[in-house]
Amino acid sequence: MRMLNGKKIVLGITGSIAAYKAAVLVRLLVKEGAEVKVIMTDAAKQFITPLTMATLSKNPVLVEFFNPENGDWNSHVKLGLWADLFLVAPASANTIGKMACGIADNLLLTTYLSAKCPVALAPAMDLDMYAHAAHQQNLEALRTRNVLIIEPASGELASGLQGKGRMEEPEKIVEQLRAFFEKKQQLSGKHFLVTAGPTYESIDAVRFIGNYSSGKMGYAIAEELAQRGAQVTLVSGPVSVCAKHQNIKVEKVSSAEEMYNAAVRAFEAADGAVMAAAVADFTPEEKQAGKLKRKNSALTLKLAATKDIAAALGKVKRANQVLVGFALEAANEQANAEKKLREKNLDFIVLNSMNDAGAGFNVDTNKICITDKSGTKTAYDLKPKAAVAADIVDKIIAVSRKEIKG
Ligand code: CTP
């Protein structure tokens, strides 16, 4: 399959000696059937001419916010909406730094900030610049925002030094883009339910029992599923994170009971569900109307058990549906996780240990261990939650394939 056929690609070129390779890159993209529009920074024009790029891309090259000849506005918003991919190659350390910080002082950067499509970049710079902590932090910031970083190769650099920093070869960039678009289709036509965030159990009109879940892990999973082409119903407790992808439909709920109802409803038509919410296990038996007045004596709340959403879905799960649960454990981690896997009839369980630094609630990273129902156990390193979400979705795809074959 020609993965790039018909794809609309905005190629941003920045000031780097590797800009000459952008000519080959455009030729290859056009040969693959992609439509390419080129934006160049002023510095890029010192390395390769707009005429060369316009000829190869068969489209006018954009540099300024306004066409100096007739004053027409080059709409960065429209370009960002038009594209299926915004690729910056070569991406200089300067442009990467500006992208990471949201600086918008040229057309390439305003296009980046208004792009709704996926973004990829191929860094090109000297080895020391590439290795510098400031640059590495910028790359990490972009990675956590789901920018695909096409790692530079090692070899001879323009400075004469040897090391990592050479822009990846155009053929290899095209290969990575093909794989990227292929991944985007992996779950097309599929529908997933994801639960995320905490639940709030009302005590009275102003007080509730809640927990510290930020919803970040569940939202990252919804985002990853959507990026692979799935439609996602995200049943979310009260959180401050937002869903970005257009394939995600968010259903906001507050209590465990509301989450249960929304999840059961959505699961019926879903191909799978990921239960990432930290659902309250208990809820006040009586919700007081108005605000409880303070007394000088102790207050006893009677709590009732909430319904276990994952277990309820496990009971009605069809053979072709995948059900994934989480276990946040403080002790006897693996044994407890395996018990939940069995009791809730899950296909696999994602274990977070409260004893691992950087894992769990309210952080941007996570360290997980996945155990599936056949007993296979895989431990992963500490990673940003977006990367953890990718590992979980890879496992969902592997498990679904097995179900279909088996
Ligand atoms: N879960 C759920 N509904 C509940 C409680 C938990 O759907 N009422 C789901 C969670 O979303 C998670 C899995 O069940 O995917 C395990 O949740 P966890 O809180 O670790 O375990 P519990 O079953 O609540 O048991 P315990 O709190 O005793 O560890």
Side-chain angles (χ1 to χ4, degrees):
M1 210 193 310
R2 293 176 74 203
M3 291 311 305
L4 298 176
N5 194 22
K7 291 285 183 287
K8 300 187 182 96
I9 298 176
V10 171
L11 173 65
I13 305 176
T14 71
S16 154
I17 182 65
Y20 79 90
K21 291 191 197 170
V24 182
L25 181 58
V26 170
R27 275 196 55 187
L28 291 175
L29 291 172
V30 170
K31 225 166 114 190
E32 296 264 325
E35 191 179 341
V36 184
K37 290 188 180 175
V38 174
I39 303 178
M40 295 173 78
T41 61
D42 261 330
K45 290 193 296 181
Q46 309 290 324
F47 293 93
I48 189 157
T49 70
L51 180 62
T52 306
M53 299 315 298
T55 310
L56 293 171
S57 67
K58 305 187 176 82
N59 272 312
V61 168
L62 305 168
V63 180
E64 315 286 348
F65 288 108
F66 292 93
N67 181 333
E69 254 107 70
N70 58 18
D72 277 354
W73 185 47
N74 291 325
S75 171
H76 53 90
V77 178
K78 271 198 198 145
L79 268 174
L81 292 175
W82 172 83
D84 296 310
L85 177 79
F86 181 39
L87 166 67
V88 186
S92 63
N94 182 42
T95 291
I96 290 171
K98 288 178 180 177
M99 286 167 81
C101 297
I103 293 169
D105 64 357
N106 62 37
L107 186 67
L108 186 153
L109 291 162
T110 49
T111 304
Y112 164 64
L113 287 176
S114 35
K116 292 261 189 286
C117 60
V119 178
L121 55 85
M125 64 202 70
D126 214 43
L127 75 163
D128 294 318
M129 289 173 85
Y130 185 74
H132 197 282
H135 174 68
Q136 286 301 319
Q137 266 174 19
N138 290 334
L139 279 184
E140 201 44 44
L142 292 171
R143 222 176 254 125
T144 55
R145 279 183 231 145
N146 282 326
V147 173
L148 171 72
I149 313 288
I150 300 171
E151 293 277 320
S154 290
E156 191 177 335
L157 301 161
S159 59
L161 296 170
Q162 293 276 336
K164 187 168 178 176
R166 279 173 71 92
M167 186 177 89
E168 186 51 287
E169 292 307 317
E171 292 76 9
K172 294 253 176 70
I173 294 178
V174 169
E175 228 168 72
Q176 290 203 34
L177 296 185
R178 270 196 226 113
F180 171 80
F181 280 109
E182 199 175 341
K183 221 173 173 187
K184 261 171 68 90
Q185 290 183 359
Q186 278 177 327
L187 294 172
S188 85
K190 302 280 181 206
H191 186 174
F192 280 85
L193 157 70
V194 178
T195 65
T199 62
Y200 285 0
E201 307 304 317
S202 295
I203 297 170
D204 64 13
V206 295
R207 302 179 179 94
F208 61 84
I209 299 172
N211 59 65
Y212 295 120
S213 167
S214 62
K216 284 177 182 169
M217 194 64 246
Y219 275 65
I221 291 167
E223 205 64 38
E224 184 67 26
L225 287 164
Q227 278 180 22
R228 311 259 189 128
Q231 295 294 324
V232 181
T233 301
L234 176 57
V235 177
S236 169
V239 293
S240 54
V241 277
C242 294
K244 287 180 242 135
H245 203 286
Q246 60 196 17
N247 288 9
I248 304 175
K249 190 180 101 206
V250 182
E251 272 192 51
K252 286 268 184 184
V253 294
S254 185
S255 65
E257 180 73 19
E258 286 170 14
M259 188 173 273
Y260 174 88
N261 290 332
V264 168
R265 218 178 311 125
F267 190 58
E268 172 65 26
D271 296 284
V274 183
M275 316 309 286
V279 190
D281 289 325
F282 303 100
T283 189
E285 233 176 47
E286 277 175 44
K287 307 306 180 236
Q288 303 286 327
K291 185 180 171 217
L292 271 173
K293 293 308 283 180
R294 182 230 281 268
K295 291 184 194 131
N296 278 333
S297 54
L299 170 72
T300 304
L301 282 177
K302 193 149 185 224
L303 302 178
T306 57
K307 290 179 193 149
D308 187 328
I309 308 170
L313 300 189
K315 281 204 180 95
V316 296
K317 182 167 81 94
R318 299 186 297 270
N320 58 356
Q321 284 178 308
V322 180
L323 184 59
V324 180
F326 273 74
L328 179 63
E329 303 295 340
N332 294 329
E333 288 102 331
Q334 191 58 34
N336 282 337
E338 284 173 24
K339 188 163 173 263
K340 286 175 191 171
L341 172 76
R342 280 191 310 275
E343 289 179 353
K344 299 184 195 228
N345 189 23
L346 307 171
D347 290 277
F348 67 87
I349 192 150
V350 182
L351 167 66
N352 298 137
S353 167
M354 284 173 70
N355 303 319
D356 285 330
F361 285 164
N362 245 323
V363 285
D364 292 320
T365 50
N366 206 355
K367 188 167 187 296
I368 61 163
C369 176
I370 292 182
T371 307
D372 66 25
K373 63 182 181 191
S374 67
T376 308
K377 223 170 75 180
T378 316
Y380 298 80
D381 294 336
L382 183 74
K383 297 181 183 185
K385 282 186 173 166
V388 174
D391 290 335
I392 294 170
V393 173
D394 282 343
K395 181 73 183 176
I396 290 175
I397 291 167
V399 164
S400 328
R401 283 202 187 119
K402 225 165 151 189
E403 292 294 332
I404 293 164
K405 269 195 212 144

